[in-house]
Amino acid sequence: MGEVVVITSGKGGVGKTTATANIGTALAGFGHKVVLVDADIGLRNLDVVLGLENRIVYHLVDVVRGRCRLRQALIKDKRYDNLFLLPAAQTEDKTAVSPEQMRELCQELGEEFEWVIVDCPAGIEQGFRNAVAGAHKAIVITTPEVSAVRDADRVIGLLAGEFDIRDPKLILNRIRPRMVRYGDMMSIEDVIDILAIELLGVIPEDEQVVVATNRGETVVQDPRSRSGEAFRNIARRMKGEAVPLMNLDREGGWVEKLRRLMGFK
Amino acid sequence: MLEFLARLFGREATGSKEIAKERLRLVLVHDRASVSPQLLQMLKNDLIKVISRYMEIDTENLDIHLDQTNETVALVASIPVKRMKRVAQNPA
């Protein structure tokens, strides 16, 4: 039985879909058989982030309603033969699927894949409940902002209270080391201290994410990308490897080098 | 020019993260308490148990809530006392 992991955040725009695409691609790159499930019914996004939007024939709601077989709806990734996407429906709404149906779907996917990664919609309503229903584990992603951390806290409470997922792991996204150093952004320790859950990884702010997403690619495929490295590290930790956090202070810009040269810390 | 240099070297820091942390701390006290009304109920039950060792209280009209002033959150309890017990029973 494969591992069913939901990636969730409460707040929108903190990087759930990007994380799902990158972690999934990284795991596939390590040779695992992976399926990514877009649970955001009505607002499908994971397909465009992966650059697979032109290949969709059937979607999740078609599968649940029995309009097609599961295998027909799975789209193979452009680069990895062992990475698949189950796209969301774009024309239906969240009530088209029930938590029970999602549970059965995840169960079925888990029999064939080593990793089932569910991209959860924002919010804590029915779409969230559906996405979480079939998951064994959860990854909560947040950014170091008051609003995002607050929503993450709420989601962590709901996961424990209503879904019996008591040990979600945290991804802290879009950290800007320079701002942290100057006390203008909450640090890793600050956020961990507040949320009191285990850290899975930290992703530095990286313009390459925008570039890769523009092209329908993922940063984990770019060996020079810092965020790509961070996502690969996360995938390795999920596999059970002990990978230390990368040194975020190692920044490459000329301003940074000049500043260090002149002794500013 | 000085300002430009300051910006170049990133020294315009205002330490705003402390403000962020403080605001989060306060908001989460309330969020966490209201997300689980069970928590307040459990606290209420325990309080009644403890206080009843020393005095007879009106559990019907007991009120417990979180009160927030600018920088602190306080747990406020109003517990009507019916009568004092003569000797506090030994705690179990």
Side-chain angles (χ1 to χ4, degrees):
Chain A
M1 181 71 193
E3 197 86 76
V4 184
V5 183
V6 64
I7 298 187
T8 183
S9 67
K11 187 172 180 299
V14 296
K16 285 180 297 297
T17 304
T18 305
T20 305
N22 277 283
I23 290 170
T25 306
L27 284 168
F30 293 133
H32 291 256
K33 204 169 178 207
V34 182
V35 63
L36 307 179
V37 179
D38 189 347
D40 201 346
I41 315 272
L43 283 173
R44 109 177 140 206
N45 273 327
L46 191 50
D47 55 334
V48 284
V49 171
L50 288 161
L52 299 174
E53 65 273 20
N54 293 327
R55 305 184 184 196
I56 296 177
V57 183
Y58 296 109
H59 50 68
L60 192 153
V61 177
D62 289 331
V63 175
V64 166
R65 295 271 169 85
R67 291 193 286 244
C68 71
R69 284 177 297 114
L70 177 55
R71 200 169 289 272
Q72 292 176 290
L74 295 177
I75 300 159
K76 194 195 286 179
D77 182 58
K78 286 189 277 193
R79 291 144 294 243
Y80 293 108
D81 287 345
N82 50 336
L83 175 63
F84 290 82
L85 166 70
L86 178 58
Q90 182 69 339
T91 48
E92 315 258 357
D93 70 48
K94 317 221 181 248
T95 55
V97 186
S98 73
E100 188 48 46
Q101 289 169 321
M102 279 300 285
R103 219 168 288 135
E104 283 166 21
L105 180 69
C106 289
Q107 170 85 29
E108 197 179 341
L109 287 167
E111 281 158 21
E112 188 168 343
F113 293 90
E114 287 169 83
W115 291 96
V116 180
I117 302 184
V118 183
D119 183 17
C120 182
I124 50 171
E125 289 83 29
Q126 164 121 39
F128 165 78
R129 285 163 196 284
N130 284 343
V132 173
H136 313 136
K137 292 189 172 168
I139 294 174
V140 174
I141 182 163
T142 188
T143 58
E145 290 158 289
V146 176
S147 53
V149 174
R150 180 193 198 177
D151 289 2
D153 187 81
R154 183 82 205 276
V155 163
I156 292 165
L158 283 173
L159 287 172
E162 294 188 32
F163 299 92
D164 213 32
I165 300 180
R166 290 180 190 283
D167 55 347
K169 305 273 190 294
L170 182 75
I171 293 179
L172 184 53
N173 196 18
R174 308 192 69 173
I175 269 267
R176 296 164 73 168
R178 208 172 70 91
M179 291 191 74
V180 172
R181 231 175 302 138
Y182 294 122
D184 269 330
M185 180 176 272
M186 285 187 282
S187 67
I188 303 167
E189 295 74 28
D190 292 332
V191 177
I192 292 291
D193 184 45
I194 290 164
L195 294 178
I197 66 170
E198 198 185 315
L199 184 69
L200 180 62
V202 179
I203 315 293
E205 173 84 66
D206 184 358
E207 293 182 357
Q208 286 306 313
V209 172
V210 180
V211 177
T213 309
N214 283 344
R215 298 193 170 122
E217 293 168 1
T218 51
V219 281
V220 290
Q221 297 161 271
D222 178 354
R224 286 161 310 165
S225 157
R226 302 273 290 144
S227 61
E229 186 187 342
F231 278 122
R232 283 193 301 276
N233 286 348
I234 284 173
R236 288 169 61 196
R237 290 185 197 111
M238 288 169 71
K239 277 151 46 77
E241 289 179 42
V243 186
L245 282 182
M246 62 194 220
N247 180 10
L248 290 174
D249 285 331
R250 201 191 80 214
E251 279 174 286
W254 67 271
V255 178
E256 189 63 31
K257 282 174 190 154
L258 183 65
R259 186 189 307 137
R260 216 162 283 169
L261 205 65
M262 296 180 69
F264 287 93
K265 192 73 182 90
Chain B
M1 184 63 190
L2 257 179
E3 196 183 315
F4 168 76
L5 274 177
R7 193 153 296 159
L8 179 68
F9 296 120
R11 307 216 78 183
E12 77 279 26
T14 59
S16 59
K17 85 154 187 190
E18 293 304 328
I19 302 171
K21 277 167 67 184
E22 184 57 18
R23 291 175 58 219
L24 254 175
R25 189 181 65 78
L26 288 171
V27 91
L28 289 187
V29 169
H30 272 267
D31 283 4
R32 286 178 185 174
S34 57
V35 162
S36 59
Q38 312 99 288
L39 186 139
L40 273 183
Q41 190 55 50
M42 280 159 58
L43 174 67
K44 213 166 170 175
N45 294 343
D46 283 353
L47 268 179
I48 292 172
K49 221 189 288 172
V50 171
I51 294 170
S52 300
R53 285 193 206 135
Y54 302 90
M55 51 192 88
E56 224 172 88
I57 54 178
D58 179 3
T59 54
E60 295 289 298
N61 295 307
L62 178 148
D63 174 52
I64 292 179
H65 63 272
L66 291 168
D67 210 16
Q68 182 174 0
T69 57
N70 280 338
E71 286 180 1
T72 53
V73 178
L75 178 70
V76 179
S78 165
I79 306 169
V81 178
K82 285 184 181 160
R83 86 174 56 106
M84 293 299 290
K85 293 186 175 171
R86 192 181 311 240
V87 184
Q89 289 162 2
N90 276 337

